Amino acid sequence: MDSIDVGGKWWLEEMHEEEQLVPNEAVAGTLTFSPEHGVELDLLGSFYEIFERHNDDVETEDGPINIFGVTTEGEYVTVLNCMYSGDSTSTNDASFTTESYENGTVIKG
């Protein structure tokens, strides 16, 4: 497969509703792939509410998981069996969370 570097909206199966192609809760992010570095999905936002990752009283689901998406070019993509690789939270003037996943298999279409 050729290298990929594309923006899009990303979601988990649990977020999908039958009447919507792209769930309202889909998270913006960038999917990259290269033969040298593999797959990485960097989200500008987080799926953590699905897994309650930041609640110390709840066990977390760290993968592997399947992530569904649509790119800015309108192509549907699935990242199979990827693993959560970390997150960060900015507490400056604009507070937001980012989250990363890696080591999956990309399927287009």
Side-chain angles (χ1 to χ4, degrees), residues 7-26:
K9 291 276 217 148
W10 308 95
W11 64 90
L12 303 175
E13 184 174 1
E14 295 88 343
M15 299 165 70
H16 194 262
E17 296 180 20
E18 285 185 35
E19 296 153 9
Q20 298 176 318
L21 291 177
V22 178
N24 289 335
E25 297 84 14

Side-chain angles (χ1 to χ4, degrees), residues 47-87:
F47 296 140
Y48 80 87
E49 290 177 349
I50 297 294
F51 298 133
E52 300 178 8
R53 185 182 319 284
H54 296 286
N55 182 342
D56 293 335
D57 297 330
V58 177
E59 288 189 34
T60 61
E61 176 67 53
D62 288 331
I65 62 171
N66 299 328
I67 299 176
F68 304 91
V70 61
T71 69
T72 55
E73 291 138 12
E75 185 170 29
Y76 285 85
V77 176
T78 302
V79 184
L80 297 173
N81 299 318
C82 60
M83 299 294 294
Y84 169 78
S85 61
D87 63 34

Side-chain angles (χ1 to χ4, degrees), residues 6 10 28-32 39-43 47 67-68 79 82 85 99-102:
V6 64
W10 308 95
T30 302
L31 175 67
T32 57
V39 173
E40 186 166 329
L41 177 61
D42 294 314
L43 301 177
F47 296 140
I67 299 176
F68 304 91
V79 184
C82 60
S85 61
E99 196 167 83
S100 297
Y101 293 84
E102 60 186 19

